[in-house]
Amino acid sequence: MDAYQKTIQDLLQDLDITINGSQPWDIQVHQKYFFKRVLQSGSVGLGEAYMDGWWDCESLDQFFTKILGAELDKKVKGNWNVMLQGLKARIFNQQNRAHSKKVIAQHYNTGNGLYEKMLDKHMMYSCGYWDGAETLEQAQENKLELICQKLKLEPGMKVLDIGCGWGGFAAYAAKNYQVQVVGITVSEEQEKLAKKRCEGLPIEIRLQDYRDVDEQFDRILSIGMIEHVGYKNYPVYMKVVNRLLKDDGITLIHTIGGNKTGFVTDPWINKYIFANSLIPSAAQLSNAMEPYFILEDWHNFGLHYDYTLMEWLRRFKAAWPELQGKYNERFYRMWEYYLSSCAGSFRSRKNNLWQIVMVKSTYPKEYKSVRFLGKQPAVEVEK
């Protein structure tokens, strides 16, 4: 046993993780240089080694729950490239207009076929709300209904969906609450499919940056979009939404949230999944909203993301025979690693899922928070 292997073994020992052990969360190492690679390159080395087939684990999600819960990622430091990434994030705006499209080309334009197989019928690529739900479809429908009720939607309202994805929320709100929706995205692939899925409804899908919108709305929301805004742009986001929202309007943010303030994302996630992304902290969002909004509600249901991610993983694996003609084995291992590691991060409470409701100081009513879905949608959702 060399010094690299002994170091890794000592780090894992207290977590009940054994190298080449028999438990589902034990790692099976196939390449002797694995240990050196991880210690030299940290998160990137661990992820790339898995993509290259250097190690396996029967239950990746349990493995990550253990190591992230113990904050082992902080004990294995990355290389100089990782440190440089953190320095760049503090100096430069990694999510300016030019950089904001990088994540789209890398991730959301991967191909609609992958997401159609992995997601629910509404194609919601964000956390479901599993209270009372037994299926992914019901959990996502619960989430959509929860957002509609938190926004206090009424027929005839004009709603802006920032980062509208494939139009899932827009279609649900238009059908069930008779509102008009403008959905904006910077993904050409999402725009094409969203227009098709929302055809015949009072919905306008635009390929547009939120900073370029210039009209008034009764309600504004973003679902899973703030993670791509960056801490330098949170004040810009709040200022733009404040400008676009009517005086009696309500705005909602649905976002992953971190327990501690940071300035960069996990290096492997940044390189392979979400370039220039950042999980916001409560302090970062609170400071940004303070000049513009009154905070009405802050709802955390992060453990629901664990259930959502594991269901996405199950569906992805089931659909792989149909998808593998377009994607290679390295992509399969990358995607499996991505979904499993994210599930572990929520299960270990390293990350949260927040729904935040804000209003202007001119909002004329008492805002009543919603947790339980007391009423059914006005119109049955088409199956």
Side-chain angles (χ1 to χ4, degrees), residues 147-181:
I147 291 173
C148 289
Q149 291 192 26
K150 286 182 176 182
L151 287 171
K152 317 293 184 187
L153 294 184
E154 296 178 7
M157 283 184 170
K158 187 176 181 181
V159 180
L160 175 63
D161 184 358
I162 301 176
C164 64
W166 295 277
F169 171 82
Y172 183 90
K175 290 177 183 178
N176 291 282
Y177 285 86
Q178 294 80 52
V179 295
Q180 303 173 44
V181 184

Side-chain angles (χ1 to χ4, degrees), residues 60-202:
L60 272 176
D61 56 295
Q62 293 187 69
F63 168 75
F64 279 109
T65 301
K66 286 178 174 290
I67 67 171
L68 293 176
E71 296 190 321
L72 197 64
D73 53 320
K74 294 183 179 179
K75 298 176 183 178
V76 181
K77 300 299 182 182
N79 58 18
W80 283 105
N81 288 332
V82 175
M83 290 192 238
L84 180 61
Q85 179 190 336
L87 183 62
K88 284 169 62 180
R90 287 177 177 269
I91 298 174
F92 303 108
N93 186 349
Q94 298 289 88
Q95 294 82 12
N96 61 24
R97 288 175 182 265
H99 289 152
S100 67
K101 293 189 177 182
K102 183 178 179 181
V103 67
I104 302 305
Q106 179 190 44
H107 194 81
Y108 293 102
N109 287 345
T110 297
N112 289 326
L114 167 65
Y115 298 106
E116 287 177 314
K117 294 294 183 182
M118 187 180 81
L119 306 179
D120 64 295
K121 65 183 180 182
H122 299 291
M123 291 193 71
M124 297 305 301
Y125 194 24
S126 55
C127 181
Y129 193 57
W130 286 83
D131 280 3
E134 296 182 358
T135 66
L136 179 63
E137 273 70 19
Q138 187 58 58
Q140 293 292 14
E141 209 156 289
N142 283 354
K143 184 261 297 295
L144 293 170
E145 179 63 21
L146 185 70
I147 291 173
C148 289
Q149 291 192 26
K150 286 182 176 182
L151 287 171
K152 317 293 184 187
L153 294 184
E154 296 178 7
M157 283 184 170
K158 187 176 181 181
V159 180
L160 175 63
D161 184 358
I162 301 176
C164 64
W166 295 277
F169 171 82
Y172 183 90
K175 290 177 183 178
N176 291 282
Y177 285 86
Q178 294 80 52
V179 295
Q180 303 173 44
V181 184
V182 173
I184 59 173
T185 176
V186 292
S187 165
E188 294 178 359
E189 288 294 311
Q190 287 187 332
E191 179 207 20
K192 292 175 187 175
L193 188 55
K195 283 184 174 179
K196 182 178 179 181
R197 289 170 59 85
C198 296
E199 193 173 354
L201 294 170

Side-chain angles (χ1 to χ4, degrees), residues 8 14 83 147 161 185 189 198 221 257 259 292 314 349:
I8 295 292
D14 292 339
M83 290 192 238
I147 291 173
D161 184 358
T185 176
E189 288 294 311
C198 296
L221 72 144
N259 295 320
Y292 303 104
R314 185 192 69 78
R349 302 305 298 271

Side-chain angles (χ1 to χ4, degrees), residues 138-319:
Q138 187 58 58
Q140 293 292 14
E141 209 156 289
N142 283 354
K143 184 261 297 295
L144 293 170
E145 179 63 21
L146 185 70
I147 291 173
C148 289
Q149 291 192 26
K150 286 182 176 182
L151 287 171
K152 317 293 184 187
L153 294 184
E154 296 178 7
M157 283 184 170
K158 187 176 181 181
V159 180
L160 175 63
D161 184 358
I162 301 176
C164 64
W166 295 277
F169 171 82
Y172 183 90
K175 290 177 183 178
N176 291 282
Y177 285 86
Q178 294 80 52
V179 295
Q180 303 173 44
V181 184
V182 173
I184 59 173
T185 176
V186 292
S187 165
E188 294 178 359
E189 288 294 311
Q190 287 187 332
E191 179 207 20
K192 292 175 187 175
L193 188 55
K195 283 184 174 179
K196 182 178 179 181
R197 289 170 59 85
C198 296
E199 193 173 354
L201 294 170
I203 297 170
E204 180 186 359
I205 303 295
R206 302 176 187 168
L207 191 66
Q208 186 177 31
D209 188 287
Y210 73 95
R211 288 163 283 203
D212 295 328
V213 179
D214 187 21
E215 56 204 275
Q216 291 284 287
F217 295 89
D218 299 289
R219 303 290 187 262
I220 300 176
L221 72 144
S222 65
I223 303 175
M225 179 267 183
I226 288 294
E227 299 92 327
H228 307 301
V229 169
Y231 78 100
K232 288 181 179 292
N233 300 307
Y234 296 151
V236 175
Y237 176 90
M238 299 296 176
K239 183 177 182 179
V240 169
V241 172
N242 179 273
R243 174 172 58 82
L244 302 179
L245 188 66
K246 292 181 179 179
D247 287 344
D248 60 349
I250 301 173
T251 183
L252 178 146
I253 294 173
H254 175 111
T255 182
I256 297 170
N259 295 320
K260 299 176 182 178
T261 296
F263 302 96
V264 294
T265 192
D266 171 82
W268 183 85
I269 290 288
N270 183 74
K271 184 174 181 179
Y272 288 99
I273 307 298
F274 294 117
N276 297 330
S277 62
L278 177 69
I279 294 174
S281 70
Q284 288 170 328
L285 292 178
S286 295
N287 288 335
M289 73 175 71
E290 188 173 295
Y292 303 104
F293 293 111
I294 295 172
L295 173 64
E296 291 284 8
D297 190 38
W298 198 305
H299 184 186
N300 183 4
F301 52 98
L303 288 175
H304 293 224
Y305 225 145
D306 176 17
Y307 315 142
T308 304
L309 284 153
M310 292 306 293
E311 180 60 15
W312 288 346
L313 178 60
R314 185 192 69 78
R315 291 180 176 218
F316 170 69
K317 288 183 174 181

